[in-house]
């Protein structure tokens, strides 16, 4: 019975994430609209609230294009697996009937994050288009670069709590948030999340000005919709992880949900205000600034831990 309830809760979690993604796209379009002094979607439903569902129906009912030159199996397999990985990672979120909130949760998160890189690479390569290939290569180089500093930051925090369990983060932050303890790390983590999810100002994988549309150029209809859903599910999860790791709080409280929405809003705000970075500067930022800084922070935390033992 408990296994059955766990399965039901996981299915409900996936449905809720997809609904959350739908309304995140609406929030993004509304916020960008007001940043650019216009209204955004306001025709379908009350103030445009049904717009995401209209978009979903439109995307999935469009004609599916079959490319003669593409590597057919990988071409269709990549978006499906991309969305699968973006949803499977949500199983980490504990609920009243379990979920996968186990002791090695952070390792599971890092593994799922790493697999996502391959799927972007495969979708770019299998399209057999020069633009898609370039976009895929850019995305892989960028994601791998920022994953290093992301992993070091998480290692620093895991050294602080002495474990991989997500629950421990909320226990250790009852009195003070980690954001105030290691403020520079929280800023680096946020920027690394932007780079990990290929968001502005690091959206080189989808550079419209030079790559037409990047790694997803040859996808239309359902394939494009799945890539789109995977990207926004990742943004929501990154917001969730940031809130958990730096802003503390109880998983089951309304305030925690507001924190997640606030970080998601920051993702959109950055998109509305920041110009695109230069590609070489992006790489310099990862390897010459963030990596040494996060490594030094980790060494400082290790030193403090050793001192505490003595």
């Amino acid at each position: 019975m408990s296994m059955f309830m766990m399965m039901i809760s996981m299915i409900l979690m996936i449905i809720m994430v997809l609904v959350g993604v739908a309304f995140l796209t609406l929030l993004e379009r509304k916020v960008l609209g007001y940043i650019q002094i216009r209204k955004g979607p306001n025709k379908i439903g009350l103030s445009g609230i049904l717009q995401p569902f209209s978009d979903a129906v439109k995307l999935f009912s469009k004609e599916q294009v079959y490319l003669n030159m593409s590597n057919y199996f990988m071409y269709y397999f990549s978006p499906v697996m991309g969305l699968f990985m973006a949803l499977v990672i949500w199983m980490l979120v504990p609920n009243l009937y379990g979920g996968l909130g186990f002791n090695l949760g952070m390792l599971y998160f890092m593994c799922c994050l790493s697999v996502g890189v391959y799927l972007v690479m495969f979708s770019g390569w299998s399209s057999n288009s020069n633009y898609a290939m370039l976009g895929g290569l850019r995305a892989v180089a960028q994601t791998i670069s920022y994953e290093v500093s992301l992993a070091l930051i998480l290692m620093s925090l895991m050294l602080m709590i002495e474990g991989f369990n997500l629950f421990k983060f909320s226990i250790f932050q009852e009195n003070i948030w980690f954001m105030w303890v290691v403020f520079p790390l929280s800023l680096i983590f946020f920027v690394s999340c932007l780079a990990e999810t290929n968001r502005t100002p690091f959206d080189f994988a989808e550079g419209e000005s030079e790559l037409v549309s990047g790694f997803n150029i040859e996808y239309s209809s359902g394939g494009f919709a799945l890539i789109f859903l995977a990207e926004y599910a990742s943004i929501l999860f990154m917001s969730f992880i940031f809130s958990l790791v730096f802003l503390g709080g109880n998983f089951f409280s309304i305030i925690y949900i507001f924190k997640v929405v606030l970080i998601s809003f920051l993702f959109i705000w950055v998109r509305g205000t920041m110009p695109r970075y230069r590609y070489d500067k992006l790489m310099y930022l990862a390897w010459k600034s963030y990596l040494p800084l996060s490594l030094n922070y980790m060494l400082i935390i290790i030193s403090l831990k050793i001192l505490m033992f003595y």
Side-chain angles (χ1 to χ4, degrees):
M1 185 64 185
S2 61
M3 194 68 184
F4 175 72
M5 290 305 293
M6 192 172 169
M7 289 298 293
I8 293 292
S9 66
M10 284 181 173
I11 292 163
L12 276 174
M13 169 72 76
I14 288 170
I15 293 166
M16 291 303 159
V17 167
L18 291 173
V19 172
V21 164
F23 286 109
L24 180 62
T25 60
L26 179 66
L27 175 72
E28 176 165 39
R29 291 173 70 176
K30 281 283 190 186
V31 170
L32 289 177
Y34 282 105
I35 285 172
Q36 295 157 6
I37 321 174
R38 57 186 176 82
K39 281 288 180 190
N42 63 349
K43 290 284 188 289
I44 300 172
L46 183 67
S47 299
I49 200 154
L50 298 177
Q51 185 71 45
F53 304 104
S54 166
D55 290 341
V57 170
K58 184 202 78 170
L59 275 171
F60 283 106
S61 60
K62 284 174 82 172
E63 183 185 358
Q64 187 76 53
V65 178
Y66 297 95
L67 295 175
N68 289 330
M69 298 296 287
S70 69
N71 188 329
Y72 184 82
F73 177 72
M74 290 307 299
Y75 177 73
Y76 278 104
F77 174 75
S78 300
V80 176
M81 277 308 293
L83 181 62
F84 175 75
M85 289 310 300
L87 292 177
V88 156
I89 205 170
W90 276 95
M91 296 300 107
L92 262 182
V93 180
N95 51 56
L96 297 175
Y97 294 104
L100 296 179
F102 53 96
N103 281 333
L104 301 176
M106 268 299 171
L107 286 181
Y108 174 81
F109 164 63
M110 291 304 295
C111 292
C112 290
L113 212 61
S114 304
V115 172
V117 181
Y118 295 105
L119 299 167
V120 171
M121 182 176 71
F122 286 140
S123 58
W125 165 77
S126 61
S127 304
N128 229 349
S129 156
N130 290 341
Y131 292 125
M133 187 65 188
L134 277 170
L137 287 172
R138 281 181 172 199
V140 169
Q142 171 181 329
T143 310
I144 287 171
S145 300
Y146 279 87
E147 232 167 56
V148 178
S149 55
L150 207 67
L152 284 171
I153 292 165
L154 288 174
M155 279 170 70
S156 304
L157 296 164
M158 287 184 289
L159 281 164
M160 285 167 79
I161 67 164
E162 298 178 4
F164 297 105
N165 198 330
L166 294 176
F167 276 111
K168 283 194 172 183
F169 281 103
S170 48
I171 296 164
F172 271 75
Q173 294 180 81
E174 281 178 355
N175 298 322
I176 185 168
W177 292 349
F178 282 165
M179 187 176 176
W180 309 127
V181 178
V182 283
F183 185 67
L185 279 191
S186 66
L187 297 180
I188 294 173
F189 191 87
F190 180 69
V191 175
S192 298
C193 287
L194 287 174
E196 277 290 309
T197 49
N198 295 324
R199 290 289 292 180
T200 312
F202 308 118
D203 56 339
F204 296 100
E206 301 162 10
E208 291 87 1
S209 51
E210 66 270 13
L211 294 181
V212 191
S213 178
F215 72 95
N216 55 15
I217 177 69
E218 300 295 350
Y219 287 95
S220 62
S221 176
F224 176 77
L226 294 179
I227 289 171
F228 191 75
L229 285 170
E231 183 185 330
Y232 280 82
S234 300
I235 289 167
L236 263 182
F237 193 78
M238 284 299 192
S239 306
F240 171 84
I241 285 290
F242 185 93
S243 306
L244 170 70
V245 167
F246 290 105
L247 302 177
N250 183 6
F251 282 118
F252 308 114
S253 67
I254 294 292
I255 297 166
Y256 186 76
I257 305 297
F258 277 118
K259 288 175 191 171
V260 174
V261 173
L262 175 67
I263 303 300
S264 303
F265 171 75
L266 287 180
F267 272 82
I268 298 163
W269 192 4
V270 166
R271 181 179 174 182
T273 52
M274 301 289 286
R276 189 176 291 146
Y277 225 52
R278 215 173 69 198
Y279 195 75
D280 59 321
K281 297 242 181 188
L282 166 93
M283 287 303 176
Y284 281 140
L285 189 67
W287 294 109
K288 290 192 173 179
S289 300
Y290 286 0
L291 182 61
L293 197 59
S294 49
L295 199 56
N296 284 327
Y297 255 101
M298 195 173 86
L299 291 172
I300 290 165
I301 288 165
I302 291 170
S303 309
L304 289 171
K305 280 283 178 187
I306 291 167
L307 285 171
M308 280 169 67
F309 278 119
Y310 287 105

